PDB file of all heavy atoms in Angstrom:
ATOM      1  N   ILE J  23      93.836 122.794  82.793  1.00  0.00           N
ATOM      2  CA  ILE J  23      93.363 122.067  81.606  1.00  0.00           C
ATOM      3  C   ILE J  23      92.850 120.699  82.023  1.00  0.00           C
ATOM      4  O   ILE J  23      93.543 119.968  82.715  1.00  0.00           O
ATOM      5  CB  ILE J  23      94.460 121.911  80.537  1.00  0.00           C
ATOM      6  CG1 ILE J  23      94.994 123.290  80.095  1.00  0.00           C
ATOM      7  CG2 ILE J  23      93.945 121.163  79.320  1.00  0.00           C
ATOM      8  CD1 ILE J  23      96.165 123.243  79.156  1.00  0.00           C
ATOM      9  N   ILE J  24      91.664 120.357  81.599  1.00  0.00           N
ATOM     10  CA  ILE J  24      91.064 119.032  81.858  1.00  0.00           C
ATOM     11  C   ILE J  24      90.779 118.355  80.514  1.00  0.00           C
ATOM     12  O   ILE J  24      90.141 118.938  79.652  1.00  0.00           O
ATOM     13  CB  ILE J  24      89.745 119.158  82.646  1.00  0.00           C
ATOM     14  CG1 ILE J  24      89.981 119.816  84.007  1.00  0.00           C
ATOM     15  CG2 ILE J  24      89.102 117.794  82.829  1.00  0.00           C
ATOM     16  CD1 ILE J  24      88.733 120.070  84.824  1.00  0.00           C
ATOM     17  N   VAL J  25      91.347 117.153  80.358  1.00  0.00           N
ATOM     18  CA  VAL J  25      91.085 116.346  79.177  1.00  0.00           C
ATOM     19  C   VAL J  25      90.247 115.152  79.647  1.00  0.00           C
ATOM     20  O   VAL J  25      90.644 114.441  80.556  1.00  0.00           O
ATOM     21  CB  VAL J  25      92.384 115.875  78.521  1.00  0.00           C
ATOM     22  CG1 VAL J  25      92.077 115.205  77.181  1.00  0.00           C
ATOM     23  CG2 VAL J  25      93.351 117.018  78.338  1.00  0.00           C
ATOM     24  N   ALA J  26      89.079 114.901  79.011  1.00  0.00           N
ATOM     25  CA  ALA J  26      88.178 113.920  79.597  1.00  0.00           C
ATOM     26  C   ALA J  26      87.333 113.221  78.532  1.00  0.00           C
ATOM     27  O   ALA J  26      87.123 113.768  77.428  1.00  0.00           O
ATOM     28  CB  ALA J  26      87.266 114.605  80.610  1.00  0.00           C
ATOM     29  N   THR J  27      86.869 112.036  78.905  1.00  0.00           N
ATOM     30  CA  THR J  27      85.750 111.386  78.176  1.00  0.00           C
ATOM     31  C   THR J  27      84.438 111.864  78.810  1.00  0.00           C
ATOM     32  O   THR J  27      84.397 112.086  80.013  1.00  0.00           O
ATOM     33  CB  THR J  27      85.863 109.867  78.249  1.00  0.00           C
ATOM     34  OG1 THR J  27      85.963 109.472  79.632  1.00  0.00           O
ATOM     35  CG2 THR J  27      87.080 109.374  77.494  1.00  0.00           C
ATOM     36  N   PRO J  28      83.430 112.076  78.000  1.00  0.00           N
ATOM     37  CA  PRO J  28      82.174 112.626  78.559  1.00  0.00           C
ATOM     38  C   PRO J  28      81.562 111.792  79.657  1.00  0.00           C
ATOM     39  O   PRO J  28      81.009 112.330  80.626  1.00  0.00           O
ATOM     40  CB  PRO J  28      81.242 112.696  77.347  1.00  0.00           C
ATOM     41  CG  PRO J  28      82.135 112.734  76.160  1.00  0.00           C
ATOM     42  CD  PRO J  28      83.320 111.883  76.539  1.00  0.00           C
ATOM     43  N   GLY J  29      81.648 110.432  79.582  1.00  0.00           N
ATOM     44  CA  GLY J  29      81.019 109.592  80.577  1.00  0.00           C
ATOM     45  C   GLY J  29      81.554 109.807  81.989  1.00  0.00           C
ATOM     46  O   GLY J  29      80.793 110.072  82.912  1.00  0.00           O
ATOM     47  N   ARG J  30      82.881 109.707  82.137  1.00  0.00           N
ATOM     48  CA  ARG J  30      83.448 109.860  83.477  1.00  0.00           C
ATOM     49  C   ARG J  30      83.341 111.281  83.971  1.00  0.00           C
ATOM     50  O   ARG J  30      83.100 111.524  85.167  1.00  0.00           O
ATOM     51  CB  ARG J  30      84.919 109.386  83.431  1.00  0.00           C
ATOM     52  CG  ARG J  30      85.701 109.659  84.744  1.00  0.00           C
ATOM     53  CD  ARG J  30      85.005 109.129  86.009  1.00  0.00           C
ATOM     54  NE  ARG J  30      84.816 107.706  85.974  1.00  0.00           N
ATOM     55  CZ  ARG J  30      85.723 106.830  86.434  1.00  0.00           C
ATOM     56  NH1 ARG J  30      86.873 107.256  86.889  1.00  0.00           N
ATOM     57  NH2 ARG J  30      85.441 105.537  86.414  1.00  0.00           N
ATOM     58  N   LEU J  31      83.483 112.249  83.070  1.00  0.00           N
ATOM     59  CA  LEU J  31      83.354 113.632  83.475  1.00  0.00           C
ATOM     60  C   LEU J  31      81.973 113.943  84.025  1.00  0.00           C
ATOM     61  O   LEU J  31      81.848 114.575  85.090  1.00  0.00           O
ATOM     62  CB  LEU J  31      83.631 114.553  82.297  1.00  0.00           C
ATOM     63  CG  LEU J  31      83.602 116.077  82.586  1.00  0.00           C
ATOM     64  CD1 LEU J  31      84.653 116.450  83.591  1.00  0.00           C
ATOM     65  CD2 LEU J  31      83.737 116.876  81.312  1.00  0.00           C
ATOM     66  N   TRP J  32      80.929 113.439  83.380  1.00  0.00           N
ATOM     67  CA  TRP J  32      79.569 113.674  83.890  1.00  0.00           C
ATOM     68  C   TRP J  32      79.320 112.926  85.172  1.00  0.00           C
ATOM     69  O   TRP J  32      78.575 113.393  86.056  1.00  0.00           O
ATOM     70  CB  TRP J  32      78.538 113.304  82.840  1.00  0.00           C
ATOM     71  CG  TRP J  32      77.140 113.545  83.298  1.00  0.00           C
ATOM     72  CD1 TRP J  32      76.174 112.635  83.572  1.00  0.00           C
ATOM     73  CD2 TRP J  32      76.568 114.806  83.588  1.00  0.00           C
ATOM     74  NE1 TRP J  32      75.027 113.211  83.995  1.00  0.00           N
ATOM     75  CE2 TRP J  32      75.229 114.581  84.031  1.00  0.00           C
ATOM     76  CE3 TRP J  32      77.021 116.118  83.502  1.00  0.00           C
ATOM     77  CZ2 TRP J  32      74.374 115.598  84.373  1.00  0.00           C
ATOM     78  CZ3 TRP J  32      76.136 117.158  83.889  1.00  0.00           C
ATOM     79  CH2 TRP J  32      74.860 116.880  84.302  1.00  0.00           C
ATOM     80  N   ASP J  33      79.915 111.732  85.329  1.00  0.00           N
ATOM     81  CA  ASP J  33      79.760 111.011  86.567  1.00  0.00           C
ATOM     82  C   ASP J  33      80.301 111.818  87.755  1.00  0.00           C
ATOM     83  O   ASP J  33      79.658 111.904  88.805  1.00  0.00           O
ATOM     84  CB  ASP J  33      80.522 109.662  86.514  1.00  0.00           C
ATOM     85  CG  ASP J  33      79.797 108.652  85.613  1.00  0.00           C
ATOM     86  OD1 ASP J  33      78.612 108.845  85.349  1.00  0.00           O
ATOM     87  OD2 ASP J  33      80.442 107.674  85.196  1.00  0.00           O
ATOM     88  N   LEU J  34      81.434 112.441  87.587  1.00  0.00           N
ATOM     89  CA  LEU J  34      82.032 113.229  88.653  1.00  0.00           C
ATOM     90  C   LEU J  34      81.214 114.476  88.940  1.00  0.00           C
ATOM     91  O   LEU J  34      81.053 114.875  90.086  1.00  0.00           O
ATOM     92  CB  LEU J  34      83.469 113.630  88.285  1.00  0.00           C
ATOM     93  CG  LEU J  34      84.474 112.489  88.214  1.00  0.00           C
ATOM     94  CD1 LEU J  34      85.833 112.972  87.769  1.00  0.00           C
ATOM     95  CD2 LEU J  34      84.589 111.791  89.564  1.00  0.00           C
ATOM     96  N   ILE J  35      80.658 115.081  87.884  1.00  0.00           N
ATOM     97  CA  ILE J  35      79.821 116.286  88.097  1.00  0.00           C
ATOM     98  C   ILE J  35      78.523 115.905  88.799  1.00  0.00           C
ATOM     99  O   ILE J  35      78.123 116.548  89.780  1.00  0.00           O
ATOM    100  CB  ILE J  35      79.513 116.946  86.734  1.00  0.00           C
ATOM    101  CG1 ILE J  35      80.785 117.547  86.146  1.00  0.00           C
ATOM    102  CG2 ILE J  35      78.453 118.062  86.943  1.00  0.00           C
ATOM    103  CD1 ILE J  35      80.580 118.151  84.779  1.00  0.00           C
ATOM    104  N   SER J  36      77.838 114.877  88.327  1.00  0.00           N
ATOM    105  CA  SER J  36      76.526 114.496  88.889  1.00  0.00           C
ATOM    106  C   SER J  36      76.633 113.956  90.283  1.00  0.00           C
ATOM    107  O   SER J  36      75.683 114.031  91.063  1.00  0.00           O
ATOM    108  CB  SER J  36      75.817 113.498  87.948  1.00  0.00           C
ATOM    109  OG  SER J  36      76.626 112.325  87.824  1.00  0.00           O
ATOM    110  N   GLU J  37      77.792 113.364  90.637  1.00  0.00           N
ATOM    111  CA  GLU J  37      77.964 112.828  91.982  1.00  0.00           C
ATOM    112  C   GLU J  37      78.563 113.870  92.925  1.00  0.00           C
ATOM    113  O   GLU J  37      79.045 113.544  94.016  1.00  0.00           O
ATOM    114  CB  GLU J  37      78.835 111.588  91.929  1.00  0.00           C
ATOM    115  CG  GLU J  37      78.179 110.419  91.223  1.00  0.00           C
ATOM    116  CD  GLU J  37      79.119 109.218  91.134  1.00  0.00           C
ATOM    117  OE1 GLU J  37      80.148 109.216  91.796  1.00  0.00           O
ATOM    118  OE2 GLU J  37      78.755 108.267  90.415  1.00  0.00           O
ATOM    119  N   VAL J  38      78.623 115.114  92.509  1.00  0.00           N
ATOM    120  CA  VAL J  38      79.091 116.244  93.312  1.00  0.00           C
ATOM    121  C   VAL J  38      80.535 116.012  93.785  1.00  0.00           C
ATOM    122  O   VAL J  38      80.876 116.281  94.916  1.00  0.00           O
ATOM    123  CB  VAL J  38      78.146 116.491  94.535  1.00  0.00           C
ATOM    124  CG1 VAL J  38      78.342 117.909  95.063  1.00  0.00           C
ATOM    125  CG2 VAL J  38      76.712 116.292  94.161  1.00  0.00           C
ATOM    126  N   ARG J  39      81.337 115.483  92.896  1.00  0.00           N
ATOM    127  CA  ARG J  39      82.744 115.330  93.258  1.00  0.00           C
ATOM    128  C   ARG J  39      83.651 116.304  92.556  1.00  0.00           C
ATOM    129  O   ARG J  39      84.818 116.447  92.911  1.00  0.00           O
ATOM    130  CB  ARG J  39      83.193 113.895  92.846  1.00  0.00           C
ATOM    131  CG  ARG J  39      82.596 112.789  93.677  1.00  0.00           C
ATOM    132  CD  ARG J  39      83.070 111.454  93.209  1.00  0.00           C
ATOM    133  NE  ARG J  39      82.569 110.377  94.017  1.00  0.00           N
ATOM    134  CZ  ARG J  39      82.733 109.081  93.709  1.00  0.00           C
ATOM    135  NH1 ARG J  39      83.397 108.739  92.640  1.00  0.00           N
ATOM    136  NH2 ARG J  39      82.227 108.154  94.492  1.00  0.00           N
ATOM    137  N   LEU J  40      83.129 117.007  91.529  1.00  0.00           N
ATOM    138  CA  LEU J  40      83.975 117.811  90.700  1.00  0.00           C
ATOM    139  C   LEU J  40      83.826 119.306  91.043  1.00  0.00           C
ATOM    140  O   LEU J  40      83.250 120.081  90.314  1.00  0.00           O
ATOM    141  CB  LEU J  40      83.652 117.595  89.234  1.00  0.00           C
ATOM    142  CG  LEU J  40      84.586 118.213  88.195  1.00  0.00           C
ATOM    143  CD1 LEU J  40      85.996 117.739  88.431  1.00  0.00           C
ATOM    144  CD2 LEU J  40      84.141 117.867  86.810  1.00  0.00           C
ATOM    145  N   ARG J  41      84.346 119.710  92.182  1.00  0.00           N
ATOM    146  CA  ARG J  41      84.282 121.137  92.499  1.00  0.00           C
ATOM    147  C   ARG J  41      85.326 121.929  91.730  1.00  0.00           C
ATOM    148  O   ARG J  41      85.261 123.156  91.668  1.00  0.00           O
ATOM    149  CB  ARG J  41      84.480 121.374  94.014  1.00  0.00           C
ATOM    150  CG  ARG J  41      85.920 121.241  94.491  1.00  0.00           C
ATOM    151  CD  ARG J  41      85.963 121.544  95.984  1.00  0.00           C
ATOM    152  NE  ARG J  41      87.297 121.439  96.522  1.00  0.00           N
ATOM    153  CZ  ARG J  41      88.151 122.449  96.579  1.00  0.00           C
ATOM    154  NH1 ARG J  41      87.813 123.621  96.108  1.00  0.00           N
ATOM    155  NH2 ARG J  41      89.339 122.280  97.138  1.00  0.00           N
ATOM    156  N   ALA J  42      86.321 121.196  91.150  1.00  0.00           N
ATOM    157  CA  ALA J  42      87.380 121.888  90.435  1.00  0.00           C
ATOM    158  C   ALA J  42      87.023 122.207  89.004  1.00  0.00           C
ATOM    159  O   ALA J  42      87.809 122.735  88.262  1.00  0.00           O
ATOM    160  CB  ALA J  42      88.667 121.063  90.471  1.00  0.00           C
ATOM    161  N   CYS J  43      85.825 121.813  88.571  1.00  0.00           N
ATOM    162  CA  CYS J  43      85.467 122.012  87.159  1.00  0.00           C
ATOM    163  C   CYS J  43      85.351 123.512  86.843  1.00  0.00           C
ATOM    164  O   CYS J  43      85.809 123.947  85.797  1.00  0.00           O
ATOM    165  CB  CYS J  43      84.122 121.336  86.856  1.00  0.00           C
ATOM    166  SG  CYS J  43      83.774 121.202  85.102  1.00  0.00           S
ATOM    167  N   ARG J  44      84.767 124.337  87.692  1.00  0.00           N
ATOM    168  CA  ARG J  44      84.732 125.786  87.570  1.00  0.00           C
ATOM    169  C   ARG J  44      84.330 126.234  86.179  1.00  0.00           C
ATOM    170  O   ARG J  44      85.043 126.987  85.492  1.00  0.00           O
ATOM    171  CB  ARG J  44      86.133 126.353  87.912  1.00  0.00           C
ATOM    172  CG  ARG J  44      86.531 126.066  89.366  1.00  0.00           C
ATOM    173  CD  ARG J  44      88.043 126.109  89.526  1.00  0.00           C
ATOM    174  NE  ARG J  44      88.647 124.973  88.916  1.00  0.00           N
ATOM    175  CZ  ARG J  44      89.754 125.033  88.163  1.00  0.00           C
ATOM    176  NH1 ARG J  44      90.353 126.179  87.978  1.00  0.00           N
ATOM    177  NH2 ARG J  44      90.246 123.935  87.620  1.00  0.00           N
ATOM    178  N   LEU J  45      83.200 125.722  85.717  1.00  0.00           N
ATOM    179  CA  LEU J  45      82.773 125.961  84.357  1.00  0.00           C
ATOM    180  C   LEU J  45      82.492 127.442  84.071  1.00  0.00           C
ATOM    181  O   LEU J  45      82.493 127.866  82.933  1.00  0.00           O
ATOM    182  CB  LEU J  45      81.533 125.142  84.032  1.00  0.00           C
ATOM    183  CG  LEU J  45      81.727 123.612  84.102  1.00  0.00           C
ATOM    184  CD1 LEU J  45      80.422 122.920  83.834  1.00  0.00           C
ATOM    185  CD2 LEU J  45      82.765 123.168  83.102  1.00  0.00           C
ATOM    186  N   GLU J  46      82.216 128.225  85.127  1.00  0.00           N
ATOM    187  CA  GLU J  46      81.915 129.642  84.899  1.00  0.00           C
ATOM    188  C   GLU J  46      83.151 130.410  84.399  1.00  0.00           C
ATOM    189  O   GLU J  46      83.035 131.511  83.930  1.00  0.00           O
ATOM    190  CB  GLU J  46      81.360 130.275  86.157  1.00  0.00           C
ATOM    191  CG  GLU J  46      82.370 130.474  87.288  1.00  0.00           C
ATOM    192  CD  GLU J  46      82.533 129.228  88.135  1.00  0.00           C
ATOM    193  OE1 GLU J  46      82.043 128.153  87.707  1.00  0.00           O
ATOM    194  OE2 GLU J  46      83.129 129.305  89.226  1.00  0.00           O
ATOM    195  N   HIS J  47      84.338 129.849  84.578  1.00  0.00           N
ATOM    196  CA  HIS J  47      85.556 130.520  84.142  1.00  0.00           C
ATOM    197  C   HIS J  47      86.162 129.869  82.940  1.00  0.00           C
ATOM    198  O   HIS J  47      87.300 130.141  82.562  1.00  0.00           O
ATOM    199  CB  HIS J  47      86.573 130.529  85.291  1.00  0.00           C
ATOM    200  CG  HIS J  47      86.055 131.145  86.558  1.00  0.00           C
ATOM    201  ND1 HIS J  47      85.783 132.505  86.641  1.00  0.00           N
ATOM    202  CD2 HIS J  47      85.772 130.639  87.770  1.00  0.00           C
ATOM    203  CE1 HIS J  47      85.317 132.754  87.868  1.00  0.00           C
ATOM    204  NE2 HIS J  47      85.303 131.649  88.569  1.00  0.00           N
ATOM    205  N   LEU J  48      85.436 128.969  82.263  1.00  0.00           N
ATOM    206  CA  LEU J  48      85.965 128.219  81.137  1.00  0.00           C
ATOM    207  C   LEU J  48      86.248 129.182  79.961  1.00  0.00           C
ATOM    208  O   LEU J  48      85.385 129.951  79.570  1.00  0.00           O
ATOM    209  CB  LEU J  48      84.984 127.143  80.693  1.00  0.00           C
ATOM    210  CG  LEU J  48      85.389 126.294  79.506  1.00  0.00           C
ATOM    211  CD1 LEU J  48      86.630 125.485  79.803  1.00  0.00           C
ATOM    212  CD2 LEU J  48      84.242 125.356  79.110  1.00  0.00           C
ATOM    213  N   ARG J  49      87.476 129.073  79.403  1.00  0.00           N
ATOM    214  CA  ARG J  49      87.819 129.956  78.283  1.00  0.00           C
ATOM    215  C   ARG J  49      87.845 129.204  76.962  1.00  0.00           C
ATOM    216  O   ARG J  49      87.496 129.786  75.927  1.00  0.00           O
ATOM    217  CB  ARG J  49      89.202 130.561  78.561  1.00  0.00           C
ATOM    218  CG  ARG J  49      89.255 131.519  79.761  1.00  0.00           C
ATOM    219  CD  ARG J  49      90.631 132.059  79.951  1.00  0.00           C
ATOM    220  NE  ARG J  49      91.098 132.803  78.783  1.00  0.00           N
ATOM    221  CZ  ARG J  49      92.320 133.258  78.661  1.00  0.00           C
ATOM    222  NH1 ARG J  49      93.226 133.033  79.599  1.00  0.00           N
ATOM    223  NH2 ARG J  49      92.694 133.908  77.548  1.00  0.00           N
ATOM    224  N   TYR J  50      88.244 127.951  76.956  1.00  0.00           N
ATOM    225  CA  TYR J  50      88.329 127.172  75.709  1.00  0.00           C
ATOM    226  C   TYR J  50      87.584 125.873  75.897  1.00  0.00           C
ATOM    227  O   TYR J  50      87.847 125.107  76.807  1.00  0.00           O
ATOM    228  CB  TYR J  50      89.811 126.893  75.357  1.00  0.00           C
ATOM    229  CG  TYR J  50      90.646 128.112  75.142  1.00  0.00           C
ATOM    230  CD1 TYR J  50      91.463 128.597  76.156  1.00  0.00           C
ATOM    231  CD2 TYR J  50      90.647 128.805  73.919  1.00  0.00           C
ATOM    232  CE1 TYR J  50      92.211 129.714  75.979  1.00  0.00           C
ATOM    233  CE2 TYR J  50      91.427 129.928  73.721  1.00  0.00           C
ATOM    234  CZ  TYR J  50      92.198 130.377  74.755  1.00  0.00           C
ATOM    235  OH  TYR J  50      92.975 131.503  74.577  1.00  0.00           O
ATOM    236  N   LEU J  51      86.684 125.577  74.959  1.00  0.00           N
ATOM    237  CA  LEU J  51      85.975 124.311  74.936  1.00  0.00           C
ATOM    238  C   LEU J  51      86.374 123.595  73.662  1.00  0.00           C
ATOM    239  O   LEU J  51      86.240 124.117  72.556  1.00  0.00           O
ATOM    240  CB  LEU J  51      84.465 124.535  74.985  1.00  0.00           C
ATOM    241  CG  LEU J  51      83.615 123.271  74.747  1.00  0.00           C
ATOM    242  CD1 LEU J  51      83.821 122.267  75.901  1.00  0.00           C
ATOM    243  CD2 LEU J  51      82.131 123.647  74.633  1.00  0.00           C
ATOM    244  N   VAL J  52      86.852 122.364  73.772  1.00  0.00           N
ATOM    245  CA  VAL J  52      87.301 121.561  72.631  1.00  0.00           C
ATOM    246  C   VAL J  52      86.512 120.248  72.620  1.00  0.00           C
ATOM    247  O   VAL J  52      86.501 119.523  73.616  1.00  0.00           O
ATOM    248  CB  VAL J  52      88.806 121.283  72.683  1.00  0.00           C
ATOM    249  CG1 VAL J  52      89.266 120.495  71.454  1.00  0.00           C
ATOM    250  CG2 VAL J  52      89.597 122.596  72.832  1.00  0.00           C
ATOM    251  N   ILE J  53      85.881 119.960  71.485  1.00  0.00           N
ATOM    252  CA  ILE J  53      85.205 118.696  71.315  1.00  0.00           C
ATOM    253  C   ILE J  53      85.871 117.981  70.151  1.00  0.00           C
ATOM    254  O   ILE J  53      85.627 118.318  68.980  1.00  0.00           O
ATOM    255  CB  ILE J  53      83.668 118.886  71.056  1.00  0.00           C
ATOM    256  CG1 ILE J  53      83.048 119.703  72.188  1.00  0.00           C
ATOM    257  CG2 ILE J  53      82.985 117.538  70.938  1.00  0.00           C
ATOM    258  CD1 ILE J  53      81.612 120.057  71.956  1.00  0.00           C
ATOM    259  N   ASP J  54      86.751 117.055  70.456  1.00  0.00           N
ATOM    260  CA  ASP J  54      87.501 116.362  69.409  1.00  0.00           C
ATOM    261  C   ASP J  54      86.731 115.148  68.925  1.00  0.00           C
ATOM    262  O   ASP J  54      85.958 114.536  69.693  1.00  0.00           O
ATOM    263  CB  ASP J  54      88.869 115.928  69.979  1.00  0.00           C
ATOM    264  CG  ASP J  54      89.803 115.499  68.901  1.00  0.00           C
ATOM    265  OD1 ASP J  54      89.563 115.866  67.719  1.00  0.00           O
ATOM    266  OD2 ASP J  54      90.818 114.831  69.211  1.00  0.00           O
ATOM    267  N   GLU J  55      86.930 114.775  67.687  1.00  0.00           N
ATOM    268  CA  GLU J  55      86.219 113.682  67.066  1.00  0.00           C
ATOM    269  C   GLU J  55      84.702 113.859  67.260  1.00  0.00           C
ATOM    270  O   GLU J  55      83.961 112.938  67.601  1.00  0.00           O
ATOM    271  CB  GLU J  55      86.656 112.350  67.645  1.00  0.00           C
ATOM    272  CG  GLU J  55      88.146 112.065  67.588  1.00  0.00           C
ATOM    273  CD  GLU J  55      88.622 111.857  66.140  1.00  0.00           C
ATOM    274  OE1 GLU J  55      87.766 111.698  65.254  1.00  0.00           O
ATOM    275  OE2 GLU J  55      89.833 111.840  65.908  1.00  0.00           O
ATOM    276  N   ALA J  56      84.239 115.066  66.979  1.00  0.00           N
ATOM    277  CA  ALA J  56      82.841 115.412  67.233  1.00  0.00           C
ATOM    278  C   ALA J  56      81.876 114.604  66.375  1.00  0.00           C
ATOM    279  O   ALA J  56      80.739 114.362  66.800  1.00  0.00           O
ATOM    280  CB  ALA J  56      82.625 116.912  67.059  1.00  0.00           C
TER     281      ALA J  56
END
């Protein structure tokens, strides 16, 4: 489970640091305070 703010999460993805994100296996997506 990853709980994140969009800004830092995208920084890690775009800087090729987030190999653990594994979005192809994502089962639940939660957008709180949408």
Side-chain angles (χ1 to χ4, degrees):
I23 301 175
I24 298 175
V25 189
T27 53
R30 173 52 61 88
L31 182 62
W32 181 248
D33 287 343
L34 293 177
I35 293 176
S36 60
E37 293 178 11
V38 200
R39 290 179 178 173
L40 189 56
R41 77 178 179 90
C43 193
R44 297 156 289 137
L45 297 177
E46 71 276 13
H47 304 293
L48 180 63
R49 295 179 60 188
Y50 300 97
L51 172 65
V52 182
I53 305 175
D54 194 18
E55 304 291 349

